[in-house]
Every structure is written in C-alpha cells, then in structure tokens.
Amino acid sequence: MLNFLQANLKKQYLCHYLKNTMRIDIITVSPELIKSPFEHSIIKRAIDKKLVEVHFHNLRDYAINAYGKIDDTPFGGGAGMVLMIEPIEKCISKLQKERDYDEIIYTTPDAKALNQQTANSLSLAENIIILTGHYKGVDQRVRDLFITKEISIGDYVLSGGELAAAVISDAIIRLIPGVIGDEMSALTDSFQDNLLAPEVYTRPANYKGNKVPDVLLSGNFKKIDIWRENNAIARTKRIRPDLLD
Ligand code: ADE
C-alpha cells in the first residue's frame, strides 16, 4: 500500500511536469458495445481533462480479406469460432510502431481475477493495449506471442471481453492522479488495504427510529477513525474473511 502511494505520488509529480497522458488502446470486435462507459461521469471527465486517452480499434479493420474475415473454426473440431492471429498481429504491430506499450492485456475468464493491486500497478503505466476476447477466444499463439498479462474479472463467462475491458479501464483510470477530486479517496477505498470500506451514513441522523452510530455525530475524529477501522475489520471478517488470510 505504501509503495503504491509513493509510486502514485511520483506519477502525479511526473505527469504534472512532463504533461504525459496515460493511453489505453482497446482492440475489439464490437467498439459500439464498449464506448458508453467512457462517455459519462468520472471517466469522461478524466478524458476531457486529458489525464487519459482511450482509443478503440475495430478488429474488422484488420481483417484478412475484403469480407471482413477475422475468425475461423477451431482446428480439431468443436463449437464456436476462434479469433485469428493475423488481424490481431496487424493491429498490435501497427500500434507498437507508434509507441512502446507497458502491457498488452487479454480479457478472458481463464485467467487470474482482477484485484486492487493489479489495478494499482496498471494505473502507473503510460500506454496499455487491451485485447478483448470473443466467441471461443483467440488462437493460443496470440496469447503466447503478444500478450503480457491476462485478466479475468471474475469466475463467470460473459458473452465477450468488452465489458471486462471497460471494468479494467475504469478500475485503472479512477486511480490516475487528478481523476478523483480528493486524491486520498481513491486510496482509501475498499481493498486498498485488503479491508472492505466501513459503513457510511448521512442525514437524517434518525430515520424512523433507525439511528446513525453516536460516535459519527460526536465530532471526535480520533474516535471516529477508530470506529471506522473496527467497523471495516468486522465487516471484512463477516463478508470477505478470505481477504484477511
Ligand atoms: N470474457 C468472458 N468472460 C470474461 C470474464 N469473466 N473476465 C474477462 N473476460 C471475459
């Protein structure tokens, strides 16, 4: 946590002086499916403030023929279509000619699940590519030759990797210095220290007899901090004991 905080502050300093913007290139079969999460709220503001650039690349623009062919049946038989290596190679190598990439990520359910540590470390990158899986996946040689990191967003199968790419991008972008107004708030979220966030309350202090814990109304910030920490630990023990292992 401390290392991330230090690295995050260093990036904040460097970004400020070098004015470099993080860049995410998303390669997908369905650009329209993935654009909307980037057009609203915090992520849109981050893009407007030029703290991050997000570019979408339609894999069909790199098809192997005029009919837009990008996939084929699996060798050895079986259901579904597999994304071919040539269109992906063409797209990735075009991008790599333009700049260096820190990571080339592939979204797939058969990978380690995204967690806060991975989001933290990816938020320190300058340029990343996210290749979204589709159909039955990609030819294994794409994974062997080009991909530097494979990420799942959980143990369930989505109909494509686009939503996973949006989730990964959101988790990264909100950590970029300057994206969230109060810098510390992203760093004190659930999971930053392997604890769930404590409960929060707002007005009214008494809702039909359901009262806010007294300590939160006490104005004693030392006591409030202790209450929050104990509450976070108790919630984690109850809901996600695995995080405490
Ligand atoms: N593609 C399909 N399901 C996925 C998942 N759970 N995580 C990442 N990519 C996926």
Side-chain angles (χ1 to χ4, degrees), residues 1-20 120 123-126 175-178 183-184 187:
M1 167 67 179
L2 192 63
N3 282 345
F4 171 64
L5 190 61
Q6 282 164 344
N8 194 284
L9 288 171
K10 194 166 153 199
K11 177 165 182 174
Q12 192 171 1
Y13 176 85
L14 286 173
C15 285
H16 183 74
Y17 287 98
L18 303 176
K19 303 241 178 317
N20 59 345
N120 289 349
S123 76
L124 301 171
E126 216 171 297
L175 294 169
I176 298 172
E183 209 59 68
M184 289 312 289
L187 304 177

Side-chain angles (χ1 to χ4, degrees), residues 12 42-43 66 95 112 118-119 136 141 152 187 220 242:
Q12 192 171 1
I42 291 173
I43 305 302
L95 291 171
K112 262 179 84 173
T118 305
K136 269 281 161 204
R141 290 164 293 183
S152 160
L187 304 177
N220 183 331
D242 55 299

Side-chain angles (χ1 to χ4, degrees), residues 4 35 74 82 84 89 99 131 136 165 174 181 224 233 244:
F4 171 64
K35 281 183 180 164
V82 177
M84 304 170 84
E89 200 261 331
R99 69 196 62 75
L131 169 67
K136 269 281 161 204
R174 64 189 294 285
I224 291 172
I233 293 168
L244 299 169

Side-chain angles (χ1 to χ4, degrees), residues 88-241:
I88 295 170
E89 200 261 331
K90 249 200 262 177
C91 183
I92 290 179
S93 62
K94 175 182 173 280
L95 291 171
Q96 281 178 319
K97 277 189 201 120
E98 294 164 2
R99 69 196 62 75
D100 290 331
Y101 284 90
D102 303 291
E103 295 282 6
I104 303 180
I105 297 166
Y106 174 55
T107 60
T108 176
D110 58 340
K112 262 179 84 173
L114 179 67
N115 61 20
Q116 194 61 49
Q117 279 72 28
T118 305
N120 289 349
S121 82
L122 288 173
S123 76
L124 301 171
E126 216 171 297
N127 302 312
I128 60 177
I129 291 174
I130 306 181
L131 169 67
T132 66
H134 212 63
Y135 312 117
K136 269 281 161 204
V138 295
D139 187 305
Q140 180 59 34
R141 290 164 293 183
V142 170
R143 299 169 74 160
D144 297 342
L145 297 176
F146 311 129
I147 301 301
T148 61
K149 199 176 203 58
E150 301 188 333
I151 300 181
S152 160
I153 61 160
D155 291 339
Y156 42 82
V157 180
L158 303 166
S159 43
E162 285 77 13
L163 296 178
V167 166
I168 295 163
S169 302
D170 186 299
I172 295 170
I173 292 170
R174 64 189 294 285
L175 294 169
I176 298 172
V179 169
I180 291 186
D182 173 3
E183 209 59 68
M184 289 312 289
S185 80
L187 304 177
T188 53
D189 283 337
S190 274
F191 304 114
Q192 281 296 8
D193 46 11
N194 267 3
L195 289 177
L196 302 185
E199 294 163 357
V200 292
Y201 298 87
T202 187
R203 291 181 180 80
N206 183 343
Y207 176 70
K208 299 180 181 172
N210 296 279
K211 291 185 184 162
V212 169
D214 285 340
V215 61
L216 296 179
L217 309 174
S218 69
N220 183 331
F221 293 105
K222 201 167 166 204
K223 274 193 180 164
I224 291 172
D225 277 350
I226 294 169
W227 179 88
R228 285 190 171 141
E229 186 169 353
N230 288 337
N231 186 268
I233 293 168
R235 295 189 74 227
T236 311
K237 271 187 188 153
R238 182 162 42 88
I239 303 166
R240 292 290 307 276

Side-chain angles (χ1 to χ4, degrees), residues 38-56:
F38 298 88
E39 292 168 352
H40 305 275
S41 186
I42 291 173
I43 305 302
K44 177 183 188 298
R45 281 203 298 280
I47 294 170
D48 290 347
K49 279 172 46 191
K50 305 213 177 337
L51 295 169
V52 63
E53 282 178 24
V54 183
H55 299 266
F56 303 95

